[in-house]
């Protein structure tokens, strides 16, 4: 197995980013709850441990804590933000409320010799986000960085291999954050950099062969990045013994079903495309509430999938494109933790009989899944596919979903995606929403009373927050002109300039 760094989660919003940064540097990492038993941590034989940040006050009675035996494991420990405060509080130092909280990018000055910082310049720009601070370092520690508001922005005790920073080295705003983490991993933890995608692919294919033997595997293929990469990996690992079921619920974007068919043509798998669009559309007749739409679509999907599974002989194993954030979000116990429960972690139909579940991507982050997809030869349209909700266009049609309204949205959305791709503006996600607002317009000599269409384009790093993309007015004008000229049923186009929060990225 790889050398491993364990990241103990105290509820920090950047926990996944820490793990990704460590992996980018060639070291395998896993996120575990902060209250993980010490024996489990010891059994993992980590080369280092990192404490995340968190929203709590470390001196509160119910503050998140880990077993203090972690400090005696004999491996280096790095505390970040709350993690630094926990280290200080646990080892006899003092943590106090700030007179003035420190948020955003600030100037930090490194002070004296530091094994953690090495030969970095004394002046550093770092991201701070804290309302408490270390007012007295524990015995044996030296303060290695300060800001104008924080007398201990970093501290370390090299004799015990304990290091801590009040700022966040994992974010891009900390200019030299990556070199700092690299030094911790390679100079302090003794990492050799044995983690890479080529090795991961070979290991996972061997693991799949050992688990499945000579039996068949069934995969629900959605056309999304995760299930597509899972299908490509399995078709290489167990050629001829994978059946993929693609349920076309009628809510896909323009040409997506054809793109999926073309992407997997010639691969060693049995792809079955089920046209269930009439079944799904009938289930949504008269439904306008978005949550009810989701429930009905989910129910119909299970029915369609179970029937398709029976029709192909009920293979022995079920494969899923579960990825690591799904596992972390569904299983964490900290206050910040349960962002959403994922159907592919805990929501399978109870009466489906499989010998086991095959999840070859379970240990990967999304960027690693995309890299694996490129290695497996999947087309860019699939590997770089933007997030697309399971209910598809059904929740981008506000109000009742009909064939006519789906057609209008599908055609307009294709125009928006084509124009934004062609313009090469920076936007991480972009799509259309067909509102249920109709207004008076004029086309030629005729009065119209047609729909208003909204365009949404956002910039984001993690999809937990976003800001609207500042698209050029010439691009907005071109999209509006094309949509109103080419898509019958739309006479007005608006652009959504709301961030998240207060809005969400999707409208429903």
């Amino acid at each position: 197995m790889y050398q491993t760094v364990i990241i103990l989660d105290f509820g920090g919003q950047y926990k996944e980013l820490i793990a990704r940064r460590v992996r980018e540097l060639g070291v395998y990492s896993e996120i575990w709850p902060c209250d993980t038993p010490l024996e489990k941590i010891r059994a993992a034989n980590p080369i280092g441990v990192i404490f995340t940040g968190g929203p709590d006050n470390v001196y509160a009675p119910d503050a998140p804590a880990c077993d203090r035996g972690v400090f005696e494991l004999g491996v280096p420990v790095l505390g970040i933000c709350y993690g630094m405060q926990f280290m200080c509080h646990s080892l006899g130092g003092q943590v106090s409320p700030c007179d003035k909280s420190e948020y955003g990018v600030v100037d930090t000055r490194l002070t004296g010799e530091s094994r953690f910082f090495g030969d970095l310049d004394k002046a550093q720009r770092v991201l701070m986000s804290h309302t408490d601070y270390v007012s007295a370092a524990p015995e044996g520690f030296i303060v290695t960085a300060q800001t104008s508001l924080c007398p201990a922005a970093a501290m370390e005790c090299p004799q015990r291999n304990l290091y801590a920073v009040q700022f966040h080295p994992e974010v891009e705003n900390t200019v030299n954050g990556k070199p700092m983490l690299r030094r911790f991993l390679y100079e302090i933890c003794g990492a050799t950099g044995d983690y890479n995608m080529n090795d991961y692919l070979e290991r996972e294919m061997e693991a799949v062969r050992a688990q499945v033997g000579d039996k068949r595997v069934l995969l629900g293929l959605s056309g999304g990045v995760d299930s597509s990469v899972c299908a490509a990996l399995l078709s290489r690992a167990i050629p001829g013994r994978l059946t993929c079921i693609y349920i076309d619920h009628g809510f896909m974007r323009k040409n997506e079903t054809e793109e999926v068919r073309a992407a997997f043509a010639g691969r060693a798998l049995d792809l079955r495309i089920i046209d269930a669009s009439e079944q799904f559309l009938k289930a949504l007749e008269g439904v306008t509430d978005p949550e009810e739409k989701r429930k009905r679509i989910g129910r119909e999907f299970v029915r369609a999938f179970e029937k398709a599974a029976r029709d192909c002989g009920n293979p022995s194993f079920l494969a899923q494109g579960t990825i690591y954030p799904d596992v972390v979000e569904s299983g964490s116990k900290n206050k910040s933790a349960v962002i959403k429960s994922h159907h592919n972690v805990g929501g399978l139909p109870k009466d489906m009989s499989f010998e086991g579940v095959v999840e070859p991507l379970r240990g990967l982050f999304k960027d690693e899944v995309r890299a694996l997809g490129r290695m497996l030869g999947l087309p860019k349209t699939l590997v770089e596919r933007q997030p697309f909700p399971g209910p598809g266009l059904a929740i981008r049609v506000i109000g009742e979903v009909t064939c006519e309204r789906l057609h209008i949205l599908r055609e307009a959305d294709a125009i928006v995606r084509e124009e934004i791709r062609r313009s090469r503006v920076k936007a991480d996600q972009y799509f259309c929403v067909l509102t249920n607002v109709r207004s008076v317009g004029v086309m030629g000599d005729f009065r119209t009373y047609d729909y208003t269409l909204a365009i949404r384009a956002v910039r984001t790093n993690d999809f937990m927050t976003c800001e609207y993309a500042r698209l050029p007015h010439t691009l907005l004008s071109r999209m509006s002109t094309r949509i109103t000229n080419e898509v019958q049923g739309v006479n007005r186009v608006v652009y959504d300039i709301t961030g998240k929060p207060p809005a969400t990225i999707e409208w429903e």
Side-chain angles (χ1 to χ4, degrees), residues 109-341:
R109 179 145 191 92
L110 306 186
T111 58
E113 296 279 327
S114 168
R115 191 177 178 203
F116 180 81
F117 293 117
D119 58 359
L120 287 176
D121 292 340
K122 297 300 181 185
Q124 294 292 322
R125 296 278 286 170
V126 302
L127 180 75
M128 286 284 197
S129 178
H130 65 107
T131 56
D132 290 333
Y133 74 106
V134 170
S135 51
E139 185 177 349
F141 280 75
I142 57 171
V143 172
T144 55
Q146 297 176 329
T147 72
S148 60
L149 296 177
C150 187
M155 65 180 191
E156 62 186 63
C157 180
Q159 294 79 10
R160 297 180 64 183
N161 254 343
L162 302 179
Y163 304 85
V165 292
Q166 185 59 65
F167 56 85
H168 290 275
E170 70 274 20
V171 301
E172 293 179 358
N173 309 68
T174 297
V175 176
N176 285 309
K178 205 166 181 177
M180 294 174 192
L181 290 174
R182 181 184 291 111
R183 184 170 179 82
F184 175 73
L185 295 171
Y186 286 88
E187 300 299 324
I188 297 174
C189 296
T192 59
D194 62 350
Y195 177 68
N196 62 75
M197 283 294 97
N198 283 308
D199 189 43
Y200 185 95
L201 176 59
E202 293 303 320
R203 287 177 186 238
E204 283 305 312
M205 289 198 299
E206 284 302 319
V208 167
R209 293 178 189 123
Q211 179 184 6
V212 171
D214 59 357
K215 296 179 180 177
R216 293 190 60 81
V217 177
L218 181 68
L219 170 68
L221 180 62
S222 69
V225 178
D226 304 335
S227 66
S228 296
V229 174
C230 185
L233 186 154
L234 292 175
S235 69
R236 181 178 292 189
I238 49 170
R241 286 185 284 121
L242 172 66
T243 297
C244 293
I245 296 175
Y246 174 91
I247 307 290
D248 185 354
H249 50 26
F251 309 136
M252 303 302 287
R253 292 173 290 196
K254 188 173 183 178
N255 298 328
E256 280 194 314
T257 298
E258 291 74 15
E259 289 172 0
V260 169
R261 192 193 306 273
F264 290 97
R267 291 185 181 265
L269 54 81
D270 176 15
L271 174 59
R272 303 193 181 193
I273 295 179
I274 312 296
D275 184 356
S277 52
E278 288 187 16
Q279 169 187 336
F280 279 83
L281 203 55
K282 184 173 178 58
L284 294 187
E285 284 181 1
V287 178
T288 59
D289 179 72
E291 284 306 305
E292 184 62 23
K293 287 181 189 178
R294 290 177 183 273
K295 289 176 184 176
R296 294 196 183 197
I297 290 170
R299 188 162 57 241
E300 292 303 317
F301 185 87
V302 169
R303 289 173 181 167
F305 187 81
E306 287 178 321
K307 181 181 183 304
R310 289 193 299 270
D311 291 345
C312 66
N314 289 314
S316 301
F317 288 87
L318 176 69
Q320 296 187 128
T322 309
I323 65 174
Y324 196 43
D326 299 344
V327 178
V328 172
E329 290 170 4
S330 295
S332 181
K333 296 182 285 185
N334 291 306
K335 294 179 182 178
S336 70
V338 182
I339 300 166
K340 54 185 172 179
S341 288

Side-chain angles (χ1 to χ4, degrees), residues 351-406:
D351 56 350
M352 295 189 79
S353 55
F354 292 99
E355 291 183 29
V357 178
V358 180
E359 297 176 312
L361 310 181
R362 189 180 178 89
L364 298 182
F365 288 104
K366 180 71 79 173
D367 52 341
E368 295 174 313
V369 174
R370 294 189 196 279
L372 201 59
R374 287 188 285 270
M375 287 171 52
L376 290 163
L378 285 174
K380 188 176 180 180
T381 53
L382 284 185
V383 174
E384 302 299 330
R385 187 180 190 253
Q386 294 182 13
F388 189 57
L393 298 182
I395 58 166
R396 291 179 180 173
V397 170
I398 308 300
E400 185 177 6
V401 180
T402 66
C403 282
E404 176 199 12
R405 302 188 76 204
L406 283 169

Side-chain angles (χ1 to χ4, degrees), residues 1-9 15 19 22-23 27-33 40 44 48 50 324 328 362-363 365:
M1 188 52 187
Y2 311 107
Q3 289 183 321
T4 301
V5 168
I6 300 298
I7 295 162
L8 293 183
D9 175 24
K15 59 181 178 289
V22 172
R23 292 187 184 193
V27 182
Y28 184 67
S29 62
E30 289 189 358
I31 302 167
W32 292 4
K40 182 178 178 181
I50 298 177
Y324 196 43
V328 172
R362 189 180 178 89
F365 288 104

